[in-house]
Amino acid sequence: MDNFIITYRNVFFLLLILIGSFWMLACHQVTSERRSVIQRETIDSLIKTSPSMDSLIIWLEHYQYIKNKSGMILTCKELGKRYRETAHFDKAIDYHRKGLMYAMQLQDTVEIIQALNNLGTNFRRLGIMDEASSYHYQALMLCERSSNKTTFIAKKNRVMSLSGIGNVYLTLDNLDAADSIFRVTLAGEQELHSDLGQAMNYANLGSVFETRGMIDSALVYYQLSMEHNRKAHSDLGISLCHNHFGRLFALEGKWNDALREYRNAYDLMEKTGDDWHWLEACLSLVRVNISKGNIRVAKVYLDKAQRTADAIHAWEHLSEVYRLRYLCYEKAGDCRQALDSYIRSRAYADSVKNVDNVNHIQNLRVNYERERSLREMTLLRGTYEMQQRTKNIYLLVSLFALLLVGAAAGLLWYVSRMKSRHNRAMKQMEKVRSNFFTNVTHEFRTPLTVILGLLEQLQKGGMNREELQKSIETISRQGQSLLDLVNQLLEVSKVRSEVGEPEWRTGDVVAYIRMLIENYQVYAQQKRVDLRFIPEEMSIMMDFVPEYLCKIIRNLLSNALKFTPKEGRVSLLMSRNKDKLMIYVVDTGVGIDAGDLPHIFDTFYQGENNGGSDTGSGIGLSLVKQMTECMYGHIKVESRLGEGTKFMITLPLQHGNSLWEKYLPDEKSDFFQPLSVNGGGVMLAEDYDVERAGENREINDSMHSSILIVEDNEDVSYYIDQLLKKDYHLLYARNGNEGLEKAKEYMPDLILTDLMMPEMDGYELCREIRHSDILNHIPIIIITAKSEEEDRVRGLDTGADAFLQKPFNADELKVRIVKLLEQRRLLREKYSHALHEGTDQAVELSVADQEFLTRLNDLIYSLMGHHNLNSDLLANKMCMSLSQLNRKVKAITGFSSSGYILQMRMDKAKRLLASTNTPVGDIAMKCGFPEISYFSRMFKQTFQMTPSQYRKKIL
């Protein structure tokens, strides 16, 4: 027990000794730190009161000898400031770098930050902005990393770092960044109650507004800066404010006021010995004197400024010095000296404001923001982890479950989307394939229809010599069309697979293309299109592949002529641009929809928005692009609907360094054979249809039945003409629009139409006819190369009565025509007989015919009491021409319009005689006969008995 008590006491005393030791050590540390602070303050006061540079250098040598790092740091800092104020920037940079080295050895964060800011200011005044920004951003990063951010000196250091960065942005004209930074630093200086700091930032903000041209706002901020400078008793700040006021007066043209302010600034700066800021006032005096025309006085100040700027290596000021010299020489008329001064001014300006400086500063800012964000994120993450440690497991499990669910959902969505995309791609591919084969089939079936049909006619015989020759020419032309289409398909495969080497030649490309253009003149004249070739030079020698260039030009010209209406223009322009040949094919045609332009050069693409159906096979323009690229050129297109299209081809004039064989015009003579590109192109068939249609403008009822043929391929029209011309009167139209107009004008008995035509296709033509009160009774036969069941059903649905597929059987076509016309004839006879017998309700008419007759009958009944009711009045009331009314009524009832009116009068008279006891004279008046004798005569002529006899017979 005693041993235990002794041990316990020993431990107690040992604890007391340890506590005492720690307390004494702490007191010693506090005392040491206090002593260090006092020592630094003493050194700082001694250094700042040293009158000259020499005394400061002596102090530095003393501190280096006694190895007092604090004294060395403070002395270097003061020496650097004083050398900077006297514009000895090289020495200032040297001493501030030594101070930075000593501070880093001592690990004094405050002094490191101040040394970095001082170095940034030195380089900024020298105009070396990349170095300046680097030092200021390093200082700002140290401020952000420092654990002590609440003391006055820590806040001041941060504000000074930001202020330096803001001044760099201001120098580089990044006004938005400078403005935001200066507002932050102003708030910091206001928090520190520093008049001098506030004065500096108000002045900086004033400079931002001045640069933006906001003079009133700049003046307000400069006045606030002057107010705080006076409170701080800062001669430098007051001088700078005078300078600012002078600039504003100069901007307003108040030269005397500006001169007064600049003179005040100049005098104050001259006393301080601050050459860098003195230069501002001196150069301002130069600017004002130049503006006032005092060139001699301006040169005096300018010489002083140049000497000082050269001495202190102030690039920014030297840029302004030489700019002002440029103005002086310019006013003196010395252009050579002015140019030399301007060049030197720009050189100095570029050294200050260059792209590398801007990029360097932006990179520093990004790095700073990234490091600060990472530091903040690290701090927040650590705090969060400490607070939420106990919940992490549950959170991770929940997150893992959510991730699994999300991954599963995402996978399902991805699979669904990929499947949907695959389906859409397959549908699009199928659509492209279907469209391609449909159009290619059309391109094959159309010439085959003509070839097989005419061959059948030739086998039957009966043609005269002229018809025989014309049929042979048509067969030859359509056979060549088939060959061209096959060759075009093979060419796509050949160019794509790069099989074989192109045959390059050297020659006059202007002459070559002129021969191609001449081959199109006949077709252009037939189309009534103005085709022009406009080369900028009469001869241009170049390397080219004749086969490729021929096909490029032919495709583009064929398309241009195909889609350009009558009286339009197609121009091919050619010019040389350095080592390139420029070819422009311009037309005034229908244009291309904006939605089709991005795909216009895709293989097998046919536009869906071009407003017409004559789209071709989708090969030509793709082939043009591939061949252009094979000659190392490129092609572009511009187009607007309704205005026209412009293709632009650029080709190099020289291909490699080889000497190619010279091009001879007859070596590829097949390029210049007569044209017969069907669909994509050109048909030179005789334009017989328009003249024939115009031979007889009126169609008499005594002639054969009339048939309107709507077909864009003139060879097909010619073939149908050979089949039907002996039995029917034929009319012709090249497209749906023209067909609709001719149908309204001539009221044919039957219409034959193709489906794929420009401007208006066959489907739309059928719809228009079936919706027309004038035309909806006319039978329609569709003849087309489209062979799908869907196309046939669609054609019948739009109102066609029959659907024939190219190549069609001639006998079938004739039978279809005969049967349809016979149906209409039998229906007319049946209705006529029923009307004569008074049983017209038993005749089954089509809905459209029944609606027309109902309207016509209602109109006749409403006007029947008027004796002046005639065909002209009826046509006017029905909004139709007299000929249209006659042909419409004749097609449905078999009567002319006047005969139908008489028949309706007689029908009403019969009913009145049979159902009433009204006197015959009154019945005649009700039926529109003012004379009873004329009524009786017409009644007897119609029914072979008088009205009285008819009444007696009924009774």
Side-chain angles (χ1 to χ4, degrees):
M1 184 69 179
D2 292 337
N3 291 333
F4 175 77
I5 293 172
I6 293 171
T7 304
Y8 175 77
R9 287 177 179 175
N10 290 338
V11 172
F12 178 75
F13 282 120
L14 182 59
L15 289 174
L16 287 177
I17 290 170
L18 289 173
I19 292 171
S21 299
F22 283 123
W23 180 79
M24 290 176 66
L25 184 61
C27 289
H28 175 74
Q29 187 173 358
V30 172
T31 303
S32 177
E33 291 179 358
R34 179 62 179 166
R35 189 182 299 116
S36 177
V37 171
I38 294 172
Q39 184 183 15
R40 287 172 64 89
E41 291 176 352
T42 303
I43 295 171
D44 193 39
S45 63
L46 286 172
I47 290 171
K48 288 183 178 179
T49 55
S50 296
S52 65
M53 298 289 190
D54 293 336
S55 60
L56 285 174
I57 292 172
I58 292 170
W59 276 113
L60 178 60
E61 291 173 352
H62 170 71
Y63 290 129
Q64 287 174 339
Y65 178 75
I66 64 174
K67 297 182 180 179
N68 187 329
K69 293 291 181 70
S70 295
M72 293 157 64
I73 293 169
L74 295 174
T75 307
C76 287
K77 179 168 65 176
E78 186 64 22
L79 276 168
K81 285 182 180 179
R82 292 196 185 183
Y83 276 120
R84 183 172 64 209
E85 289 171 359
T86 57
H88 293 84
F89 293 112
D90 292 341
K91 292 183 179 180
I93 291 170
D94 183 51
Y95 279 109
H96 282 144
R97 279 179 172 166
K98 287 181 180 179
L100 175 61
M101 179 184 66
Y102 297 142
M104 293 176 71
Q105 291 175 359
L106 198 59
Q107 295 183 351
D108 190 333
T109 304
V110 172
E111 291 299 335
I112 292 173
I113 293 170
Q114 290 183 359
L116 290 170
N117 278 327
N118 281 323
L119 284 166
T121 303
N122 295 336
F123 281 108
R124 181 159 45 84
R125 293 194 181 180
L126 282 172
I128 306 174
M129 295 301 160
D130 54 346
E131 290 286 342
S133 60
S134 295
Y135 283 115
H136 284 309
Y137 267 112
Q138 287 181 48
L140 183 59
M141 288 180 183
L142 283 176
C143 291
E144 297 295 338
R145 292 174 187 169
S146 177
S147 58
N148 185 7
K149 300 178 183 178
T150 58
T151 62
F152 178 88
I153 192 65
K155 292 180 179 179
K156 187 68 175 178
N157 283 340
R158 184 176 183 275
V159 167
M160 293 303 295
S161 301
L162 287 170
S163 180
I165 294 169
N167 277 291
V168 171
Y169 280 123
L170 181 60
T171 303
L172 297 175
D173 293 331
N174 191 340
L175 301 182
D176 292 335
D179 183 275
S180 61
I181 290 174
F182 287 146
R183 293 188 183 278
V184 173
T185 56
L186 176 60
E189 296 289 3
Q190 288 172 343
E191 182 183 353
L192 297 173
H193 304 290
S194 171
D195 286 318
L196 185 59
Q198 291 181 64
M200 291 170 59
N201 283 285
Y202 278 126
N204 288 334
L205 286 168
S207 296
V208 172
F209 283 108
E210 181 183 347
T211 306
R212 288 174 173 167
M214 303 168 68
I215 305 303
D216 293 338
S217 299
L219 179 60
V220 171
Y221 279 96
Y222 287 149
Q223 288 172 344
L224 289 171
S225 177
M226 177 65 88
E227 178 184 341
H228 285 280
N229 274 315
R230 284 174 175 160
K231 288 180 181 180
H233 306 291
S234 172
D235 291 338
L236 173 60
I238 293 171
S239 169
L240 291 175
C241 285
H242 283 300
N243 225 18
H244 299 326
F245 294 146
R247 277 200 313 277
L248 297 184
F249 283 130
L251 289 173
E252 295 175 346
K254 299 177 181 179
W255 304 116
N256 292 329
D257 292 334
L259 192 61
R260 184 189 66 249
E261 295 293 340
Y262 286 146
R263 192 69 215 184
N264 289 336
Y266 183 87
D267 292 340
L268 283 171
M269 285 296 99
E270 203 167 29
K271 294 176 184 178
T272 62
D274 188 341
D275 291 340
W276 197 84
H277 287 102
W278 172 85
L279 276 170
E280 283 290 331
C282 186
L283 291 173
S284 299
L285 286 171
V286 175
R287 284 191 288 268
V288 172
N289 280 291
I290 290 174
S291 300
K292 293 184 69 177
N294 299 330
I295 305 302
R296 185 180 58 80
V297 177
K299 284 185 175 180
V300 172
Y301 285 113
L302 195 55
D303 291 338
K304 291 181 180 180
Q306 184 171 355
R307 286 193 297 271
T308 305
D310 280 329
I312 65 175
H313 307 294
W315 293 357
E316 187 176 355
H317 291 108
L318 281 171
S319 171
E320 182 65 9
V321 166
Y322 282 107
R323 189 188 72 84
L324 294 173
R325 282 204 182 279
Y326 154 72
L327 295 176
C328 290
Y329 285 129
E330 185 184 37
K331 288 183 178 292
D334 191 344
C335 297
R336 183 172 181 178
Q337 293 289 346
L339 178 60
D340 183 60
S341 298
Y342 178 80
I343 292 171
R344 298 187 70 175
S345 171
R346 293 308 308 161
Y348 279 111
D350 291 342
S351 69
V352 176
K353 300 177 182 178
N354 59 62
V355 175
D356 290 338
N357 286 343
V358 174
N359 291 337
H360 178 75
I361 293 165
Q362 293 296 338
N363 290 335
L364 288 172
R365 185 173 185 180
V366 169
N367 291 335
Y368 163 71
E369 295 294 341
R370 185 186 296 117
E371 184 174 337
R372 188 177 67 175
S373 298
L374 288 173
R375 190 164 53 252
E376 291 175 353
M377 288 290 292
T378 301
L379 180 62
L380 289 173
R381 190 180 298 112
T383 304
Y384 177 78
E385 288 175 356
M386 289 176 62
Q387 293 176 351
Q388 303 295 326
R389 192 178 301 271
T390 56
K391 299 180 182 179
N392 279 350
I393 295 176
Y394 300 105
L395 180 62
L396 288 173
V397 171
S398 301
L399 183 61
F400 183 71
L402 287 174
L403 285 174
L404 283 178
V405 173
L411 183 61
L412 290 174
W413 175 80
Y414 177 77
V415 171
S416 175
R417 184 179 179 187
M418 291 303 295
K419 184 177 180 181
S420 175
R421 182 181 297 177
H422 176 73
N423 290 338
R424 286 198 302 271
M426 292 299 295
K427 287 180 181 178
Q428 183 65 23
M429 189 179 299
E430 178 63 23
K431 183 179 179 182
V432 169
R433 188 190 67 81
S434 176
N435 287 341
F436 167 68
F437 283 112
T438 297
N439 286 283
V440 168
T441 301
H442 180 270
E443 300 298 324
F444 277 109
R445 285 178 181 273
T446 298
L448 284 174
T449 299
V450 177
I451 292 170
L452 296 177
L454 288 176
L455 285 175
E456 185 179 347
Q457 295 294 310
L458 290 173
Q459 289 172 350
K460 291 180 179 179
M463 289 187 178
N464 58 38
R465 184 176 184 82
E466 181 182 354
E467 290 176 341
L468 181 64
Q469 180 64 30
K470 193 168 185 178
S471 297
I472 293 173
E473 290 175 358
T474 302
I475 291 171
S476 175
R477 185 166 51 252
Q478 292 298 327
Q480 185 63 41
S481 295
L482 286 174
L483 180 60
D484 286 347
L485 182 59
V486 171
N487 288 338
Q488 203 172 39
L489 289 168
L490 293 175
E491 194 66 44
V492 171
S493 176
K494 176 182 175 182
V495 173
R496 281 183 134 188
S497 60
E498 301 179 357
V499 175
E501 286 292 329
E503 296 181 1
W504 287 90
R505 295 289 184 269
T506 298
D508 183 358
V509 71
V510 176
Y512 181 80
I513 292 183
R514 191 184 300 279
M515 287 188 287
L516 291 174
I517 292 290
E518 289 173 356
N519 199 33
Y520 277 83
Q521 290 294 347
V522 174
Y523 177 62
Q525 291 170 7
Q526 277 193 341
K527 289 269 294 180
R528 299 180 192 174
V529 173
D530 183 12
L531 176 60
R532 298 185 181 184
F533 177 46
I534 309 173
E536 192 176 80
E537 303 177 29
M538 295 305 295
S539 176
I540 300 176
M541 300 301 294
M542 72 172 288
D543 300 337
F544 63 98
V545 181
E547 180 185 2
Y548 288 0
L549 189 58
C550 173
K551 290 178 179 177
I552 289 169
I553 298 302
R554 288 183 65 171
N555 265 291
L556 294 179
L557 284 180
S558 296
N559 284 335
L561 291 168
K562 179 178 177 181
F563 292 105
T564 299
K566 292 179 181 178
E567 312 305 329
R569 176 181 295 176
V570 175
S571 303
L572 194 151
L573 299 90
M574 181 184 296
S575 63
R576 186 204 309 260
N577 183 8
K578 297 180 180 178
D579 60 343
K580 303 290 184 183
L581 178 70
M582 311 298 295
I583 300 175
Y584 304 92
V585 179
V586 186
D587 65 63
T588 58
V590 296
I592 303 170
D593 190 90
D596 293 328
L597 282 176
H599 311 287
I600 202 71
F601 296 112
D602 293 349
T603 308
F604 308 140
Y605 179 81
Q606 297 102 26
E608 298 179 356
N609 307 313
N610 59 359
S613 300
D614 192 9
T615 56
S617 60
I619 298 173
L621 287 178
S622 171
L623 190 60
V624 166
K625 183 174 187 293
Q626 292 176 36
M627 289 183 172
T628 302
E629 291 174 349
C630 282
M631 290 196 293
Y632 302 96
H634 60 269
I635 182 170
K636 296 190 296 184
V637 60
E638 296 175 358
S639 183
R640 296 184 66 178
L641 280 178
E643 297 184 10
T645 303
K646 178 180 181 182
F647 285 90
M648 296 153 283
I649 299 175
T650 304
L651 295 171
L653 291 176
Q654 185 174 358
H655 175 63
N657 298 319
S658 302
L659 295 176
W660 304 105
E661 185 179 342
K662 189 172 182 179
Y663 170 72
L664 299 175
D666 61 342
E667 74 172 25
K668 288 292 183 182
S669 59
D670 57 311
F671 294 163
F672 304 102
Q673 292 298 320
L675 306 171
S676 61
V677 184
N678 192 18
V682 180
M683 296 301 300
L684 297 181
E686 179 186 357
D687 192 12
Y688 59 88
D689 54 332
V690 176
E691 286 77 4
R692 182 176 301 167
E695 287 176 0
N696 189 1
R697 305 304 294 179
E698 293 294 335
I699 302 173
N700 296 324
D701 291 340
S702 60
M703 296 177 64
H704 295 303
S705 298
S706 61
I707 298 176
L708 173 61
I709 301 170
V710 187
E711 171 62 63
D712 62 328
N713 189 303
E714 294 174 359
D715 281 340
V716 176
S717 296
Y718 171 74
Y719 169 54
I720 297 175
D721 174 85
Q722 296 300 308
L723 294 176
L724 305 179
K725 66 181 181 180
K726 294 180 181 178
D727 301 315
Y728 305 99
H729 181 88
L730 303 179
L731 303 166
Y732 303 89
R734 294 185 180 87
N735 55 64
N737 278 334
E738 186 179 343
L740 186 62
E741 292 302 318
K742 286 195 174 182
K744 291 178 180 178
E745 182 178 359
Y746 297 111
M747 296 282 289
D749 296 297
L750 186 139
I751 295 175
L752 298 177
T753 181
D754 190 11
L755 281 183
M756 300 177 69
M757 298 181 293
E759 298 187 29
M760 180 189 290
D761 62 15
Y763 293 125
E764 186 63 25
L765 176 63
C766 288
R767 277 191 290 268
E768 291 292 332
I769 289 174
R770 289 298 174 244
H771 291 157
S772 170
D773 291 337
I774 301 172
L775 306 174
N776 55 20
H777 66 283
I778 301 175
I780 301 173
I781 298 177
I782 290 177
I783 303 176
T784 181
K786 289 195 171 186
S787 58
E788 297 292 333
E789 185 69 16
E790 179 184 352
D791 299 318
R792 190 181 71 83
V793 172
R794 183 182 174 191
L796 297 174
D797 184 59
T798 55
D801 296 276
F803 192 98
L804 295 183
Q805 181 179 318
K806 294 178 183 178
F808 57 84
N809 184 288
D811 293 333
E812 182 183 359
L813 175 63
K814 291 179 180 179
V815 170
R816 291 273 189 181
I817 293 172
V818 169
K819 291 302 179 183
L820 283 173
L821 292 177
E822 185 177 357
Q823 281 182 353
R824 299 300 301 184
R825 180 180 60 78
L826 291 174
L827 188 62
R828 285 196 301 272
E829 291 176 357
K830 186 176 180 181
Y831 187 84
S832 175
H833 179 74
L835 188 62
H836 184 76
E837 297 296 328
T839 59
D840 56 297
Q841 298 298 327
V843 180
E844 293 184 3
L845 299 173
S846 67
V847 175
D849 290 348
Q850 187 63 57
E851 288 179 353
F852 174 79
L853 287 179
T854 299
R855 287 199 304 119
L856 183 65
N857 293 343
D858 290 343
L859 184 60
I860 292 174
Y861 282 131
S862 67
L863 299 173
M864 190 173 286
H866 300 281
H867 67 276
N868 59 349
L869 172 63
N870 56 30
S871 298
D872 287 326
L873 178 62
L874 198 60
N876 186 48
K877 294 291 185 180
M878 292 291 290
C879 299
M880 302 168 69
S881 68
L882 180 59
S883 61
Q884 288 175 336
L885 179 65
N886 278 329
R887 292 191 63 79
K888 178 81 173 179
V889 174
K890 181 80 172 177
I892 298 175
T893 68
F895 293 101
S896 66
S897 57
S898 58
Y900 187 73
I901 294 172
L902 178 61
Q903 195 65 34
M904 295 298 291
R905 291 181 190 274
M906 293 296 99
D907 181 65
K908 183 175 181 180
K910 278 178 61 178
R911 285 189 279 107
L912 290 174
L913 288 169
S915 60
T916 67
N917 293 322
T918 306
V920 173
D922 292 342
I923 290 175
M925 290 295 293
K926 288 181 180 181
C927 293
F929 293 94
E931 297 179 1
I932 190 171
S933 60
Y934 178 64
F935 170 68
S936 298
R937 187 167 64 252
M938 295 306 299
F939 192 90
K940 185 175 181 179
Q941 185 178 353
T942 303
F943 300 111
Q944 288 76 46
M945 62 182 73
T946 64
S948 300
Q949 291 172 339
Y950 179 77
R951 176 172 278 178
K952 289 178 181 178
K953 180 181 177 182
I954 296 299
L955 295 174

